Structures are given as C-alpha cells and as structure tokens.
Amino acid sequence: MQMPDIRNRLKIGLVCPYDILRAGGVQEHALAQAEELRKRGHTVKILTPRPRGVRGDAPEGVIFVGNSANIKVLTKTTMEVGINIDNSLLDEILSKEKFDLLHIHEPEVPILGAQIIARAKCPIVGTFHAVNPNTPMARTLEGLRMPFSRTLFNKLTAMTAVSDAAAGFVREHMSK
C-alpha cells in the first residue's frame, strides 16, 4: 500500500500495546505523537488495552480494545500488555473509524498489534522501541518468534526505530 499524503488531514490510529494510563517510554511517545499530530490538523485516536481495574469510558481520543494483564519479561521487569481481544469488536472498531493510516508501536508485542496488522485496510507504520537482552533464553525465544515476526514485518508499509539498537534488530531480522 502506498503511504497517504501527510499534507492532507488524515485520520490516524496510534496503537500502544501497553497501559496508556501508566508511565512508560512507549506510552509517553504515543501520547506526545498524538498531541503533535493533532496540532498539525490530523484526527488521532490511540488504540490501547483497557488497563486493569479501570472501568467506564476511555479518556478523550483513546479507544480501549480488549483488556490487559501484567506479564514478566526477560529483562526481569513487568509490563501490562493487551490480551483477550475480541476479533469481531476489533473489526467493528476499524470499520467504524476508517483510519487513513495506522501507526503501531511495538508491532511484535502480543496481541493487539498483530491482530490489527492482520485486519488493516490502510498503510501501517511500525515503530520498534526495545531489544531483547543478549542471553541464551532471549536468543532461543527470538529464533522461535522470527517466522511470526517476518510475517508482520512484510505487512508494514514503513518501519521506524527509536534507537540504533532497535534499528539494528529490525535490519538484522529483515535480512534473514
């Protein structure tokens, strides 16, 4: 798919796989990006999992999709990521919103980004933020997920990275 002309006003969906109401680098990046894009005249919505324990409507400009759960990761930290996403609800949201462009932060973080990538009917930008530690366990898991990751990478119209390390990860795995 060809990228839309960003000089026109676009309807953009930013996908953040983490609890958007919790402090974190990816969340702050997505919130700042949404604010800047709105200043430039675009309509922006952030799609993110409903944070644990949060009831009621999402904040303005945010669409809660599915729920979230705390998951321990290889870096010995915990992250709250999206789970249990109803595909029919996701299809309904994408059909209603009719985004001109989707920008998925951390496309490989299960499950939200992958489900949106599979259903999108518009160009998709993927931004990579993190790199797994260089440990035997991380390398084993990376080897297992690469066929899945390459499928995702092939559906992205463009890829960006927030660091040299993240860019190196994408380059390394795209060349295999």
Side-chain angles (χ1 to χ4, degrees):
M1 276 182 224
Q2 190 172 19
M3 291 290 283
D5 184 347
I6 60 172
R7 292 172 294 187
N8 298 325
R9 295 187 192 282
L10 300 176
K11 186 163 191 185
I12 301 170
L14 301 179
V15 179
C16 179
Y18 308 122
D19 173 355
I20 198 72
L21 303 179
R22 190 182 217 181
V26 176
Q27 297 93 314
E28 291 172 21
H29 185 130
L31 289 166
Q33 181 182 27
E35 182 180 337
E36 181 61 30
L37 289 166
R38 287 181 186 122
K39 283 181 187 173
R40 295 177 184 211
H42 302 292
T43 301
V44 181
K45 300 238 176 128
I46 298 175
L47 288 80
T48 188
R50 177 179 293 280
R52 292 167 26 120
V54 172
R55 304 286 172 251
D57 294 335
E60 186 175 341
V62 173
I63 299 172
F64 288 146
V65 183
N67 296 303
S68 64
N70 284 327
I71 297 176
K72 291 190 184 214
V73 295
L74 296 172
T75 57
K76 298 187 175 156
T77 60
T78 301
M79 63 182 177
E80 195 167 328
V81 298
I83 59 164
N84 300 328
I85 297 168
D86 178 349
N87 287 331
S88 60
L89 173 62
L90 189 54
D91 290 337
E92 190 177 302
I93 290 168
L94 293 174
S95 176
K96 176 186 172 201
E97 295 298 330
K98 294 180 177 46
F99 292 112
D100 297 309
L101 178 71
L102 285 162
H103 186 136
I104 300 177
H105 291 272
E106 296 286 33
E108 290 187 297
V109 172
I111 274 177
L112 183 56
Q115 286 181 293
I116 289 175
I117 289 169
R119 290 168 164 66
K121 296 185 176 18
C122 64
I124 307 167
V125 174
T127 293
F128 296 82
H129 292 260
V131 178
N132 282 330
N134 189 15
T135 64
M137 174 64 88
R139 286 190 299 274
T140 299
L141 291 173
E142 220 166 85
L144 293 172
R145 78 169 203 239
M146 282 326 300
F148 165 77
S149 296
R150 272 192 223 93
T151 300
L152 290 178
F153 291 177
N154 289 333
K155 293 182 179 189
L156 298 175
T157 309
M159 290 185 267
T160 65
V162 300
S163 68
D164 289 339
F169 165 81
V170 173
R171 276 193 297 275
E172 175 186 343
H173 294 293
M174 282 303 293
S175 65
K176 291 182 179 180

